[in-house]
Amino acid sequence: MYQNKTIAVFGVSADPSKYGYKIFTALLKRNMRVYGINPKGGEVAGHPVFMRLADVPARADVAVMVIPPAVLVPAVQQCIDAGVKEIWFQPGAQSGDAFDLAETAGITAVNSCFMADNGLW
């Protein structure tokens, strides 16, 4: 279902114990088109990590949020500005305000685990 979509993972980390790392690398191993977002930038698993969604060289169809609730609203605004159609708020990365902002903008918003719900783990 997501094989032909471009996915942006917010909260990618170089720390293998973090879910941002686990999700990003699992999607890479499935040869999916995935881009990592983290304000620190850098590189994870040999792939560049972009500081903002606007820096990604392709239009993302789906965003997976693995970031603290306090920074979700600005991340959702980045998704609105970039034309993202679907946002998954991972457990622990959920905010009523961010969810409502996404839905108001016409984005499909899901409060659940992207990987588990889509059989990717």
Side-chain angles (χ1 to χ4, degrees):
M1 179 172 180
Y2 289 94
Q3 199 66 38
N4 295 320
K5 303 222 179 209
T6 300
I7 302 168
V9 179
F10 282 75
V12 169
S13 170
D15 181 345
S17 70
K18 302 276 189 175
Y19 277 99
Y21 177 90
K22 293 176 183 182
I23 291 170
F24 184 67
T25 57
L27 294 173
L28 286 172
K29 286 177 185 170
R30 290 182 167 272
N31 295 315
M32 298 180 89
R33 287 189 313 254
V34 59
Y35 293 93
I37 311 294
N38 186 310
K40 296 175 186 172
E43 186 177 288
V44 172
H47 293 266
V49 174
F50 298 90
M51 296 172 74
R52 301 173 306 133
L53 185 57
D55 298 332
V56 170
R59 188 181 73 76
D61 302 299
V62 180
V64 178
M65 299 295 177
V66 195
I67 56 177
V71 296
L72 282 170
V73 168
V76 169
Q77 188 61 55
Q78 288 186 52
C79 292
I80 292 167
D81 294 344
V84 170
K85 302 294 181 203
E86 185 175 342
I87 299 175
W88 286 73
F89 297 95
Q90 298 301 119
Q94 297 168 330
S95 151
D97 290 341
F99 190 92
D100 292 346
L101 178 61
E103 283 199 322
T104 299
I107 297 172
T108 300
V110 183
N111 272 327
S112 194
C113 179
F114 176 78
M115 302 299 283
D117 286 10
N118 292 291
L120 297 168
W121 280 359

